Amino acid sequence: MPQDLSLDTVEELAHARVQDCYQCGKCSAGCPIVERMDNLPNQLLRLLQLGRIERAAASAAIWECVSCMTCTTRCPKAVDCAGLLDALRQLSIEHGFASPAQRRTILFQRAFLDNIRRNGRLAELELVRQFKMQGFLDDLSVPQLFKDALLGPQLLRRRKLHLRPRRVKDRKLVGRIFARCQANGEKP
Amino acid sequence: MARIGVFTCWCGENIARNVDVQSVAEQAAQLPGVRCSQTHKYMCSDPGQKLIRDTIAAERLDGVVIASCSPHMHLKTFRKAAEHADLNPYLVEMANVREQCSWVHSQRSRATAKAVDLIRVAVAKVRHNRALEPIQVPVTRKVLVVGGGVAGIQAALDIADSGVPVVLVEREPSIGGKMAGLSETFPTLDCSQCILTPRMVEVAQHPNITLHTCSEVEQVEGYVGNFRVTIRKQARYIDVDKCTGCGQCWNACPSKKTPSEFDYGLGKRTAIYTPFPQAVPARPVIDRDACLRLTKGRCGICVKKCQADAIRFDDQDELVSEDIGAIIVATGYQLYEIGKPDGQGRVTGYGEYGYGRYPDVISSLQFERLVSASGPTGGEIRRPSDGAVPKTVVFISCVGSRDNAKGLSYCSKICCMVNAKHTMLYKHKVHDGQAHVFYMDIRAGGKNYDEFVRRAIEQDGAHYHRGRVSKITQEDGRLIVRGVDTLAGEPLTIAADLVVLAAAMRPATGVEDLAQKVNVGYDEFGFLCESHPKLRPVETNAAGVFVCGACHGPKDIPESVTQASAAAAKVLLMFSRDRLYREPEIAHVQESACAGCFACRRSCPYHAIDPAEIRDRQGQLVRRVARVNPGLCMGCGTCVALCVSKSVDLEGFSEEQVYAMVESLR
Amino acid sequence: MNTAASDPANGEFEPKIVAYVCNWCTYLGADLAGTNRLEYPANVRIIRLPCTGRIDFNLIVKAFEIGADAVLVSGCHPGDCHYTSGNYHARRRWMLFRELLATLGIETERVHFTWISAAEGKKFQQLISEITSTTRDLGPYHAYREICETCEV
Amino acid sequence: MLQPLRETCRRLLDDGTVQVVIGYGQAMRAVEPYPVFITDPNDVGQLVWNEQCRTNLVKYLLRQEIRALGKPAIVVKGCDERALVVLEQESQIERSEIVVIGVACDGMAEARCEVCDAHQPRFADHTIGHATNKEQSAERRYAHLAEFQERPIADRMDYWKAELERCVKCYACRQSCPLCYCQRCIVEKNRPAVLDTSPTLKGNFAWHIVRAFHLAGRCVGCDQCSRVCPEGIDLRLLNQSMARASEASFGHRSGTDPQAELVLGNFSKQDQEQFIR
Amino acid sequence: MEIGYYPGCALHGSSNDYEMSVRACLAALGVRLRELDDWICCGATAAHSLNHKLAVALPARNLGLAERDGMEELLAPCPMCSMQLMKARRLLFANDALQQEISAIVELDVRGTTQVCNLIQIFQQVGYERIQQAATQQLGEFRPACYYGCLLTRPPGVVQFDDCEHPQSMESLLSELGAAPVEWNYKTECCGAGMTMANEATVLELGHRILSNAAAHGANCLVVACPMCHVNLDMKQAAINQRYSAEHDMVVYYLSDLVGLALGLAPAALGIPRHFVVRK
């Protein structure tokens, strides 16, 4: 079940209060990739203030955010703008607003966590296999890092890969931690 | 008290329509302690009052209850009437059988019953009333004004002109305050110094004003009308009486590198100096941290140059005591520290704006000095780094203000007007220059204010962008300002030659200390609290202490001056009588029972309770108890409710009275 | 009982309500109700005190002791106190005292706390009407009277 | 524990740091320990320490006859110590004029000890022994009260009627309370008599309401009043309801923080007021 | 001096050159690293974005291990790890209820008592002066642009390290060692780390800006203290050049590389030959 497209959901996910924002635009002024955004960060906040969650969650801008936290750091009202965009991305995926290309970020993050759940630490090569199993090739553009580098001979030549990384001894414990954290209804 | 008269009023038909006045009077006559019960058509009329006076005399009444309208309407009237009949006015109470009975209850039988109850309550109270005398406090007709900025000057002159002596205390070497450093003032663009300096001179020459510069309030004792104030006069190292202010000394002083406070560091001054040419008093002062003689024991050129023999290197701080009747606090403001190094490599405040890092990022008060004809550039706008005339200037609003994350949530109120003024002054001096303003809202409420801002935009071509600036960096000698125009919905980067930050107004340093000395409350930012925001805007909760100017909240010059005159008027009103009369319905402590927990003291809104020491005959301290200062108590009774041993009581609403009132309803 | 505990006309239960109000806001609010001729039930007996800060918790107990069926305590809105902070002190006191009453099994729905300003004549009228009617529904406060009656024996 | 306790006391008396030590003495195990006031270093052998030392001795600091003995040292448990903090906040003692000897306590086999979070004294000048302070949730600490408050209101009223019916107005609750220090107790005040002081149900209600509320935001939960009540009235319930409300509404636990503002006599503009219309 | 050590997944994965460098450099300074026994991943942004509790629990487990083993301090050279650990620590330290809940989840008592620090803080503890005394080589030929990126100084409330707008800690260290760091404007601008996977165009653009500004201010190399920054600026440099027809030839060092060189260590011992852009 996707979560409600309501302001409450967004604020709860982000632990932030949208009405605190007074639209000064400092988030937009400092954003390193603002030129690529269809809606400026302050405009996204404004949409949320107006209750137009769907328009905000369907905005392409949320997928441009690099989570550098400049906006949050400089916000005069201490609104966690970056956190709100995080929440919007999550809702966007759940409600199917995101294009396959945009879904990559979150799908990658899920694969990443799944990998950790099973291994305790990141197993890079396995992560790649996992992508494929999760239908990652839907959009036929395998993530860049893997395309041009990770799998490339260069990394291997530079011995920048452990083919068999040391694994965690008590891997079951990690599984239990995940289970307990996910039991409380938060999205896995 | 057993000889109480009850006087029930018909109020024409107003009471009589719904209340059976005759029946009420008859029932009242039966109440314990009631001697007689009378009615009258209009009790507040002359014949009504005469009836009361005559009955008091004839029946030798020792208590009176008037059952008529609200005590807020006529309690004073009837108390005065009783006084004329030689009955202590505090032995008169009222039963409100009109507003709270006949006017709101139409069922005659129930309204009548209630009226009797209300009289019953009033009789119960009056039986336990005590004769009270108004508290008289003598008044010393002399005023202390703290702070010699425009507000302090205005207040001091208003009071002194009315013939009352004033002691004006100023921390800096000269009066004049922030206004003395301004170039021109909004919305008229008249020269700040031209209108202020004559007032400063007036202060210096006024026979009723004693001026202490380089001075601060050290201690305040006493209470309204009777303060004793100790003032610390810092060593000036100049014999002010001998000095002629000729200037030989500062022209010769070899220590020339101290940043000028008056120019906010944009210029330099000598160790012996006057802060600015029109300073009042027009006498120099020696900076003890910069003077070569005082720091290293050598030099002394000024002594050689001084023909008046006025240099005093052995000068010491001096304490001066003054008896004062009222205090006006006018300590003004300082600018928010835009970027303050925290000593661990970090900057608190606005690190992102590079203030202190890039010389061409300056504060609005620094810009005032750059435009001022008496400033370090002689009024030519030249930027600090290389002296070039800036062709693009960015002004940023709300630096510190309305920024919860940096600690100040309030609007500083004047910056919108300051920015508009600055863009105009800039354009008038640099015709081919372009001014940009980043703002969040334009707040220009005031006579001719909004028109002024529109002129800056429409006639002088300032570009206004609605948005905050996120970061300022420096590339190739220019300042790269990254902002946004939220109205256009576009990020905006401007390469500027000079950036001016309109920093927030904060109360001057040390105001909290002073506030504690005079028992005035202050808010989380240090602004002093007025007694009531609408009705007592210049009074404080400390009787006899008044506030005006920016120490009370951000304000501009006209407002500060208005408030200063208001404070002066309040003081003169207070001084219009030889003695102060205060309502005697105040708290008092039964010291033998007081356990000294001081819950009363904690809660008293007027700081009217002090610890007093009980000593035995040998002078040994037995214990400490609470004691009410009758000059300060306003009679709210919060202390009574808090006192667990009920050792404090409130005249007029004593425990005995209140319980008797409740009991009468049994 | 010489106060309006019951109306002899119809024998219906008439609650006795004691109101402790501050002199500067609620008392003036009640006056305003009168000036505007806003009718309300005649069951309330106002006792005027300078400030809610003066209203001792014991007065509430006292009111029940003399047979009140409900008690009203009312003063200036926060920030409007004539003495700047008496009502803030009162607010804390009441908050704790309500808790004590609840623990003792005293019916806190018979103790009403309100802020009524000098401009709120209408609010005063509505409040008194409401309290009178809810107290009427609750019936006489027998429980506390029993406590008091055992003492008189 | 006992040895170092006695040694500390001897040293304090020996070097004249204090003139009297207020501690526990006991004649035999079968009787409760009682307070002893030791002025001679050679008498420190009278001091005892065991799991029967339930009494909070702080009360004795305030007694005139004991004050007359000179500068005192007092033996306290972590829980007793909270009363010292309150007394200092209320200007009743000068902390520098008292030497506090804290004794680590593993519990005195009372119900309150099971939810105690002050086994180890925190503000003492000398601490004997070591115990660990474990945090206790408010739910646990006020479980007894919460259970009582589950009852319907009429039941509660009936309960108190039955309990207070028995009160004989002996005022042992007051006499034993370390925070009852008034020069003249309110029940002794006449003109006007604030309270009905008769030992009737009405008078008893009046007294216990006043007693509990005068401890609002102050009571440190030493339970001395319940312990000494000859009728076994559970006064804890009233004290706890005030303590819990102070904690829940104002974040105040009396006697745990010497810097904290007392609940009554202070206020915050942000205080809640849902119950006010 | 011994210190707890949390390498994190990146240093045990494709950024093992960083680990080599850190280990070699600190060994030369006499700092013994005691690797946290059986550490697990800190959860990185993934946990943060998807499950807030997990975002506390994963680092908390590691903090618990460190506390169990009596470590007073824990070095996490990857700023992502150190920020996540610091954040969890801060939350736990202030909240008893959370402490209890998380302790139950991770099956270990966690109180948040172990201090977490980044690589620069370790150098500060050793003391810049001591490092300078131990140095055998002058770094005079280096004119580095020190690049802090996002997580070393942000969020300032969490990491409380250096100035979040104008950090200076790397510059002061390298100046001590004879290098001539340049003042430039992109020290704390983002390299797009979080986007490496999803949005290459952004990463390339941000990288291009950073490299250009460094060059414009006269830098001849970049210094980083983050594995992700290294990937985006070093490994991606060729792609950046291709996209923007640029000719960046900016060697990207880890901070420990330059300190190591100053201490006289061989480039190979520091893993420098494993970088993509190498000094000619």
Side-chain angles (χ1 to χ4, degrees), chain B residues 435-448:
Chain B
H436 295 266
V437 178
F438 283 95
Y439 72 99
M440 294 205 288
D441 300 285
I442 300 177
R443 296 188 170 168
K447 195 173 170 183
N448 291 324

Side-chain angles (χ1 to χ4, degrees), chain A residues 29 35, chain B residues 438 471 473 479-484 490-496:
Chain A
E35 284 86 356
Chain B
F438 283 95
K471 182 142 187 167
T473 53
L479 295 162
I480 310 300
V481 181
R482 283 198 61 150
V484 64
E490 281 187 353
L492 181 66
T493 301
I494 295 172

Side-chain angles (χ1 to χ4, degrees), chain A residues 22-24 26 30-31 74 76, chain B residues 352 402 404-405 466 468 470:
Chain A
Y22 58 18
Q23 288 295 322
C24 71
K26 199 171 181 180
C31 177
R74 292 190 192 143
Chain B
E352 63 265 42
R402 302 176 69 195
N404 303 49
R466 198 207 160 278
R468 259 192 197 267
S470 181

Side-chain angles (χ1 to χ4, degrees), chain D:
Chain D
M1 298 280 258
L2 185 54
Q3 222 37 52
L5 173 64
R6 287 177 177 165
E7 270 157 29
T8 305
C9 295
R10 176 194 292 278
R11 193 158 30 85
L12 290 169
L13 287 165
D14 260 340
D15 63 16
T17 311
V18 301
Q19 280 75 51
V20 57
V21 171
I22 307 173
Y24 298 94
Q26 192 175 30
M28 56 179 105
R29 296 286 294 179
V31 298
E32 286 273 308
Y34 44 79
V36 289
F37 308 97
I38 300 191
T39 49
D40 183 339
N42 298 318
D43 292 344
V44 295
Q46 291 179 25
L47 288 169
V48 299
W49 174 257
N50 58 41
E51 70 300 332
Q52 292 174 296
C53 296
R54 289 179 273 267
T55 306
N56 184 345
L57 299 176
V58 167
K59 178 80 179 181
Y60 296 97
L61 272 180
L62 304 172
R63 297 267 279 258
Q64 281 308 325
E65 63 272 33
I66 292 161
R67 286 192 167 185
L69 295 175
K71 183 172 176 175
I74 183 164
V75 177
V76 296
K77 304 185 287 293
C79 51
D80 304 338
E81 189 186 50
R82 291 173 56 188
L84 284 174
V85 173
V86 179
L87 288 176
E88 192 191 5
Q89 287 167 328
E90 296 180 349
S91 316
Q92 296 304 307
I93 56 170
E94 202 58 76
R95 181 64 180 76
S96 56
E97 294 300 308
I98 294 165
V99 173
V100 177
I101 304 169
V103 185
C105 164
D106 290 326
M108 292 288 158
E110 287 192 307
R112 68 192 185 104
C113 301
E114 281 164 31
V115 292
C116 172
D117 54 4
H119 292 291
Q120 177 77 358
R122 296 191 297 152
F123 311 112
D125 301 304
H126 303 276
T127 309
I128 315 286
H130 183 78
T132 314
N133 287 340
K134 193 160 161 263
E135 193 140 319
Q136 301 281 358
S137 67
E139 290 80 53
R140 258 173 74 76
R141 283 187 278 117
Y142 298 116
H144 178 58
L145 172 67
E147 192 190 345
F148 177 73
Q149 291 193 328
E150 291 282 294
R151 302 196 197 181
I153 184 157
D155 281 16
R156 275 179 266 157
M157 181 47 106
D158 290 343
Y159 171 87
W160 287 111
K161 275 185 186 163
E163 288 295 296
L164 299 185
E165 180 88 28
R166 303 203 311 275
C167 171
V168 293
K169 281 261 170 82
C170 68
Y171 295 130
C173 43
R174 177 187 79 184
Q175 293 311 106
S176 64
C177 176
L179 298 180
C180 277
Y181 51 70
C182 287
Q183 296 282 317
R184 175 202 62 195
C185 177
I186 187 166
V187 295
E188 278 135 22
K189 182 174 189 311
N190 41 31
R191 276 190 59 82
V194 179
L195 305 183
D196 177 354
T197 50
S198 63
T200 58
L201 191 55
K202 176 184 168 211
N204 293 350
F205 259 84
W207 161 244
H208 286 286
I209 289 175
V210 162
R211 194 200 60 80
F213 199 71
H214 281 182
L215 285 168
R218 302 172 63 230
C219 174
V220 294
C222 69
D223 290 356
Q224 194 76 355
C225 48
S226 304
R227 205 175 291 126
V228 300
C229 178
E231 293 294 332
I233 300 170
D234 189 1
L235 298 171
R236 269 187 310 169
L237 287 171
L238 301 179
N239 298 341
Q240 281 207 346
S241 80
M242 293 293 83
R244 188 178 64 178
S246 304
E247 190 171 341
S249 305
F250 312 114
H252 183 87
R253 272 190 80 199
S254 67
T256 54
D257 176 6
Q259 261 67 54
E261 285 190 334
L262 296 169
V263 171
L264 291 180
N266 289 302
F267 67 87
S268 157
K269 289 183 179 172
Q270 274 74 47
D271 284 345
Q272 300 156 21
E273 54 168 39
Q274 299 92 328
F275 66 93
I276 303 177
R277 276 191 281 172

